[in-house]
Amino acid sequence: MTDARKIQFVQGIVIGGIAAVLLVTILTIVGDLYAPLKTFLKDAHHHHWVGKGIWATGLFLIVAVLCFILPLHTTPETLARRINIFSWLLIFASIILFAFFVYEYLR
Amino acid sequence: MTTLLQFALAAHVILGVIGVSALYLTLLHLLKKEPSIATLKWSSLVSFISIALSWVLGGYYYVVYYGSKVKPIIVDGAYPWAHKIVTETKEHIFLFLPFVALLLTVLVWILGNTLKTDDRIRRAAVFLAAAATVVGIAITLSGIIISGAVR
Protein backbone atom coordinates (compact mmCIF):
# COMPACT_ATOMS: atom_id res chain seq x y z
CA MET A 1 0.00 0.00 0.00
CA THR A 2 1.33 3.45 -0.84
CA ASP A 3 1.60 6.10 1.88
CA ALA A 4 -1.36 7.97 0.42
CA ARG A 5 -3.54 4.85 0.51
CA LYS A 6 -2.42 4.10 4.07
CA ILE A 7 -3.49 7.58 5.16
CA GLN A 8 -6.79 7.14 3.34
CA PHE A 9 -7.35 3.79 5.07
CA VAL A 10 -6.75 5.30 8.50
CA GLN A 11 -8.99 8.23 7.61
CA GLY A 12 -11.76 5.74 6.84
CA ILE A 13 -11.44 4.35 10.37
CA VAL A 14 -11.53 7.88 11.82
CA ILE A 15 -14.63 8.97 9.92
CA GLY A 16 -16.30 5.60 10.57
CA GLY A 17 -15.58 6.04 14.27
CA ILE A 18 -17.01 9.57 14.24
CA ALA A 19 -20.16 8.27 12.56
CA ALA A 20 -20.49 5.43 15.11
CA VAL A 21 -20.11 7.72 18.13
CA LEU A 22 -22.61 10.21 16.71
CA LEU A 23 -25.12 7.43 15.98
CA VAL A 24 -24.87 5.94 19.48
CA THR A 25 -25.30 9.36 21.07
CA ILE A 26 -28.31 10.24 18.91
CA LEU A 27 -29.96 6.82 19.27
CA THR A 28 -29.51 6.95 23.04
CA ILE A 29 -31.01 10.39 23.55
CA VAL A 30 -33.78 10.06 20.96
CA GLY A 31 -34.53 6.51 22.12
CA ASP A 32 -35.09 7.69 25.68
CA LEU A 33 -37.27 10.61 24.59
CA TYR A 34 -39.20 8.71 21.91
CA ALA A 35 -40.17 5.28 23.22
CA PRO A 36 -41.11 3.68 19.85
CA LEU A 37 -37.46 3.91 18.71
CA LYS A 38 -36.23 2.10 21.80
CA THR A 39 -39.00 -0.48 21.41
CA PHE A 40 -38.05 -0.98 17.76
CA LEU A 41 -34.39 -1.57 18.68
CA LYS A 42 -35.44 -4.02 21.40
CA ASP A 43 -37.83 -5.91 19.11
CA ALA A 44 -35.31 -6.10 16.27
CA HIS A 45 -32.27 -7.06 18.36
CA HIS A 46 -33.59 -8.55 21.63
CA HIS A 47 -32.22 -5.58 23.62
CA HIS A 48 -31.96 -1.86 22.74
CA TRP A 49 -28.29 -1.75 23.82
CA VAL A 50 -27.44 -4.67 21.53
CA GLY A 51 -29.24 -2.89 18.69
CA LYS A 52 -27.21 0.28 19.24
CA GLY A 53 -23.98 -1.73 19.16
CA ILE A 54 -24.98 -3.53 15.96
CA TRP A 55 -26.10 -0.36 14.20
CA ALA A 56 -22.98 1.53 15.28
CA THR A 57 -20.72 -1.27 14.06
CA GLY A 58 -22.64 -1.56 10.79
CA LEU A 59 -22.46 2.18 10.15
CA PHE A 60 -18.77 2.22 11.06
CA LEU A 61 -17.99 -0.52 8.53
CA ILE A 62 -20.04 1.08 5.74
CA VAL A 63 -18.51 4.53 6.25
CA ALA A 64 -14.96 3.19 6.67
CA VAL A 65 -15.16 1.11 3.49
CA LEU A 66 -16.73 3.98 1.50
CA CYS A 67 -14.02 6.40 2.65
CA PHE A 68 -11.36 3.92 1.56
CA ILE A 69 -12.73 3.11 -1.89
CA LEU A 70 -13.88 6.59 -2.88
CA PRO A 71 -11.19 8.82 -4.45
CA LEU A 72 -10.82 11.13 -1.41
CA HIS A 73 -7.57 13.05 -1.31
CA THR A 74 -6.18 13.18 2.20
CA THR A 75 -3.05 14.79 3.58
CA PRO A 76 -1.35 14.00 6.91
CA GLU A 77 -2.54 17.42 8.12
CA THR A 78 -6.17 16.62 7.27
CA LEU A 79 -5.88 13.23 8.95
CA ALA A 80 -4.47 14.80 12.12
CA ARG A 81 -7.31 17.33 12.16
CA ARG A 82 -9.92 14.58 11.80
CA ILE A 83 -8.36 12.53 14.58
CA ASN A 84 -8.59 15.62 16.80
CA ILE A 85 -12.25 16.03 15.85
CA PHE A 86 -12.83 12.40 16.86
CA SER A 87 -11.12 13.01 20.21
CA TRP A 88 -13.22 16.10 20.95
CA LEU A 89 -16.35 14.22 19.90
CA LEU A 90 -15.46 11.38 22.28
CA ILE A 91 -15.16 13.86 25.15
CA PHE A 92 -18.28 15.90 24.35
CA ALA A 93 -20.46 12.88 23.57
CA SER A 94 -19.50 11.34 26.93
CA ILE A 95 -20.32 14.57 28.78
CA ILE A 96 -23.57 15.05 26.86
CA LEU A 97 -24.75 11.52 27.65
CA PHE A 98 -23.86 11.90 31.34
CA ALA A 99 -25.66 15.26 31.50
CA PHE A 100 -28.66 13.79 29.69
CA PHE A 101 -29.05 10.96 32.19
CA VAL A 102 -28.64 13.35 35.13
CA TYR A 103 -31.39 15.49 33.57
CA GLU A 104 -33.62 12.44 33.05
CA TYR A 105 -33.10 11.35 36.66
CA LEU A 106 -33.84 14.75 38.12
CA ARG A 107 -36.87 15.60 36.01
CA MET B 1 -25.93 -16.47 38.94
CA THR B 2 -24.57 -19.28 36.77
CA THR B 3 -20.87 -20.04 36.55
CA LEU B 4 -20.82 -18.69 32.99
CA LEU B 5 -22.34 -15.38 34.14
CA GLN B 6 -19.88 -15.13 37.02
CA PHE B 7 -17.06 -15.74 34.54
CA ALA B 8 -18.48 -13.16 32.12
CA LEU B 9 -18.76 -10.55 34.87
CA ALA B 10 -15.27 -11.15 36.26
CA ALA B 11 -13.67 -11.38 32.82
CA HIS B 12 -15.32 -8.18 31.59
CA VAL B 13 -13.90 -6.31 34.61
CA ILE B 14 -10.41 -7.79 34.26
CA LEU B 15 -10.29 -7.31 30.50
CA GLY B 16 -11.61 -3.77 30.88
CA VAL B 17 -8.84 -2.90 33.33
CA ILE B 18 -6.24 -4.51 31.05
CA GLY B 19 -7.65 -2.57 28.10
CA VAL B 20 -7.55 0.80 29.86
CA SER B 21 -4.07 0.07 31.25
CA ALA B 22 -2.88 -0.76 27.74
CA LEU B 23 -4.42 2.51 26.49
CA TYR B 24 -2.45 4.37 29.16
CA LEU B 25 0.73 2.51 28.17
CA THR B 26 0.08 3.51 24.55
CA LEU B 27 -0.30 7.13 25.66
CA LEU B 28 2.95 7.03 27.67
CA HIS B 29 4.89 5.61 24.72
CA LEU B 30 3.40 8.12 22.28
CA LEU B 31 4.72 10.87 24.57
CA LYS B 32 8.30 9.62 24.38
CA LYS B 33 10.79 11.52 22.24
CA GLU B 34 11.69 8.28 20.48
CA PRO B 35 8.64 6.03 20.79
CA SER B 36 9.18 2.32 20.32
CA ILE B 37 6.85 1.34 17.49
CA ALA B 38 7.10 -2.33 18.52
CA THR B 39 5.83 -1.52 22.04
CA LEU B 40 3.14 0.77 20.64
CA LYS B 41 1.93 -1.98 18.31
CA TRP B 42 1.49 -4.46 21.12
CA SER B 43 0.01 -2.05 23.67
CA SER B 44 -2.53 -0.74 21.16
CA LEU B 45 -3.43 -4.25 19.98
CA VAL B 46 -3.82 -5.50 23.57
CA SER B 47 -6.06 -2.52 24.36
CA PHE B 48 -8.29 -3.17 21.35
CA ILE B 49 -8.63 -6.93 21.90
CA SER B 50 -9.22 -6.51 25.65
CA ILE B 51 -11.82 -3.79 25.20
CA ALA B 52 -13.59 -5.72 22.43
CA LEU B 53 -13.75 -8.89 24.54
CA SER B 54 -14.86 -6.89 27.59
CA TRP B 55 -17.64 -5.43 25.43
CA VAL B 56 -18.87 -8.88 24.40
CA LEU B 57 -18.64 -10.50 27.85
CA GLY B 58 -20.00 -7.47 29.70
CA GLY B 59 -22.78 -7.22 27.16
CA TYR B 60 -23.71 -10.86 27.68
CA TYR B 61 -23.89 -10.37 31.47
CA TYR B 62 -25.82 -7.10 31.06
CA VAL B 63 -28.42 -8.44 28.64
CA VAL B 64 -28.94 -11.87 30.23
CA TYR B 65 -28.69 -11.07 33.95
CA TYR B 66 -28.22 -7.43 34.99
CA GLY B 67 -31.52 -6.07 33.64
CA SER B 68 -33.75 -8.60 35.37
CA LYS B 69 -31.79 -9.41 38.54
CA VAL B 70 -29.46 -6.52 39.46
CA LYS B 71 -31.16 -3.41 38.13
CA PRO B 72 -34.30 -3.82 40.31
CA ILE B 73 -32.12 -4.10 43.43
CA ILE B 74 -30.30 -0.87 42.64
CA VAL B 75 -33.36 1.07 41.49
CA ASP B 76 -35.36 0.06 44.58
CA GLY B 77 -32.42 0.57 46.92
CA ALA B 78 -30.79 3.58 48.55
CA TYR B 79 -28.90 4.65 45.42
CA PRO B 80 -31.22 4.45 42.38
CA TRP B 81 -29.06 7.04 40.62
CA ALA B 82 -26.34 4.39 40.45
CA HIS B 83 -28.36 2.70 37.70
CA LYS B 84 -30.31 5.61 36.25
CA ILE B 85 -27.26 7.82 35.82
CA VAL B 86 -24.09 5.74 36.22
CA THR B 87 -25.05 2.44 34.53
CA GLU B 88 -26.96 4.20 31.76
CA THR B 89 -23.99 6.46 31.02
CA LYS B 90 -21.45 3.67 31.33
CA GLU B 91 -23.26 1.22 29.05
CA HIS B 92 -23.45 3.80 26.27
CA ILE B 93 -20.07 5.51 26.38
CA PHE B 94 -18.48 2.08 26.58
CA LEU B 95 -19.77 1.60 23.02
CA PHE B 96 -17.35 4.34 21.90
CA LEU B 97 -14.17 2.68 23.17
CA PRO B 98 -13.79 -0.24 20.73
CA PHE B 99 -13.78 2.21 17.80
CA VAL B 100 -11.24 4.45 19.52
CA ALA B 101 -9.01 1.51 20.43
CA LEU B 102 -9.28 0.16 16.87
CA LEU B 103 -8.25 3.53 15.44
CA LEU B 104 -5.20 3.74 17.71
CA THR B 105 -4.23 0.18 16.75
CA VAL B 106 -4.63 0.81 13.02
CA LEU B 107 -2.81 4.15 13.31
CA VAL B 108 0.18 2.53 14.98
CA TRP B 109 0.30 -0.60 12.82
CA ILE B 110 -0.25 1.14 9.46
CA LEU B 111 1.34 4.55 10.07
CA GLY B 112 3.87 3.69 12.79
CA ASN B 113 6.82 5.31 10.99
CA THR B 114 4.74 8.40 10.17
CA LEU B 115 4.00 8.75 13.89
CA LYS B 116 7.73 9.12 14.50
CA THR B 117 8.28 11.71 11.78
CA ASP B 118 4.99 13.68 11.61
CA ASP B 119 4.39 15.70 14.77
CA ARG B 120 0.83 16.66 13.80
CA ILE B 121 -0.32 13.04 13.59
CA ARG B 122 1.63 12.11 16.71
CA ARG B 123 0.04 14.96 18.72
CA ALA B 124 -3.39 13.93 17.45
CA ALA B 125 -2.70 10.32 18.50
CA VAL B 126 -1.57 11.54 21.95
CA PHE B 127 -4.79 13.53 22.36
CA LEU B 128 -6.90 10.55 21.29
CA ALA B 129 -5.08 8.12 23.61
CA ALA B 130 -5.37 10.59 26.51
CA ALA B 131 -9.10 11.15 25.92
CA ALA B 132 -9.70 7.40 25.63
CA THR B 133 -7.72 6.71 28.82
CA VAL B 134 -9.75 9.28 30.79
CA VAL B 135 -13.03 7.88 29.45
CA GLY B 136 -11.81 4.36 30.24
CA ILE B 137 -10.93 5.31 33.82
CA ALA B 138 -14.35 6.96 34.22
CA ILE B 139 -16.01 3.75 33.00
CA THR B 140 -13.95 1.67 35.44
CA LEU B 141 -14.86 3.93 38.36
CA SER B 142 -18.52 3.72 37.28
CA GLY B 143 -18.32 -0.04 37.58
CA ILE B 144 -17.08 0.30 41.15
CA ILE B 145 -19.98 2.63 42.00
CA ILE B 146 -22.53 0.23 40.48
CA SER B 147 -21.07 -2.72 42.39
CA GLY B 148 -21.24 -0.72 45.60
CA ALA B 149 -24.87 0.21 44.98
CA VAL B 150 -25.85 -3.46 44.66
CA ARG B 151 -24.45 -4.22 48.09
Side-chain angles (χ1 to χ4, degrees):
Chain A
M1 222 190 297
T2 63
D3 281 355
R5 288 294 274 165
K6 284 180 185 177
I7 289 175
Q8 191 172 351
F9 179 77
V10 176
Q11 178 180 250
I13 305 290
V14 177
I15 297 176
I18 288 171
V21 169
L22 279 172
L23 181 67
V24 168
T25 307
I26 291 167
L27 282 178
T28 302
I29 293 173
V30 175
D32 261 40
L33 296 175
Y34 182 64
L37 174 59
K38 205 169 182 178
T39 307
F40 169 72
L41 284 169
K42 182 177 168 251
D43 291 343
H45 304 287
H46 177 64
H47 194 285
H48 67 91
W49 182 81
V50 174
K52 286 167 192 163
I54 290 171
W55 284 30
T57 304
L59 180 64
F60 166 80
L61 289 170
I62 291 168
V63 170
V65 167
L66 276 175
C67 286
F68 183 60
I69 63 177
L70 289 173
L72 302 169
H73 175 64
T74 308
T75 63
E77 191 178 322
T78 309
L79 177 63
R81 199 175 323 126
R82 288 185 178 146
I83 294 172
N84 285 330
I85 289 171
F86 189 18
S87 301
W88 281 116
L89 178 63
L90 172 68
I91 293 167
F92 282 121
S94 302
I95 293 170
I96 285 168
L97 284 178
F98 176 71
F100 172 72
F101 287 116
V102 169
Y103 164 75
E104 286 275 281
Y105 177 70
L106 293 174
R107 115 180 135 122
Chain B
M1 214 191 311
T2 65
T3 306
L4 179 58
L5 282 165
Q6 288 175 355
F7 168 78
L9 177 60
H12 121 263
V13 174
I14 293 167
L15 287 164
V17 171
I18 291 172
V20 175
S21 303
L23 272 176
Y24 181 59
L25 186 64
T26 303
L27 170 63
L28 288 183
H29 277 272
L30 282 169
L31 286 168
K32 283 176 179 276
K33 271 190 182 166
E34 291 286 332
S36 161
I37 299 303
T39 306
L40 278 171
K41 280 184 173 179
W42 290 111
S43 64
S44 60
L45 187 62
V46 165
S47 80
F48 172 63
I49 292 173
S50 301
I51 287 169
L53 286 174
S54 180
W55 182 18
V56 171
L57 290 167
Y60 172 73
Y61 167 82
Y62 177 69
V63 170
V64 170
Y65 187 80
Y66 176 90
S68 58
K69 299 283 190 262
V70 182
K71 176 184 165 183
I73 296 172
I74 299 175
V75 170
D76 292 339
Y79 313 106
W81 52 264
H83 171 79
K84 295 188 176 192
I85 297 174
V86 181
T87 303
E88 292 282 5
T89 305
K90 177 184 185 241
E91 81 185 59
H92 290 103
I93 68 175
F94 187 84
L95 290 174
F96 303 159
L97 281 190
F99 302 105
V100 177
L102 176 63
L103 171 58
L104 278 169
T105 306
V106 167
L107 193 58
V108 168
W109 281 77
I110 304 254
L111 291 177
N113 290 328
T114 308
L115 274 175
K116 284 177 116 167
T117 56
D118 192 316
D119 265 352
R120 292 161 302 188
I121 292 185
R122 172 130 74 118
R123 278 197 301 267
V126 166
F127 184 25
L128 183 66
T133 302
V134 170
V135 169
I137 290 171
I139 288 172
T140 306
L141 293 175
S142 299
I144 296 171
I145 292 171
I146 295 161
S147 297
V150 179
R151 293 173 202 280

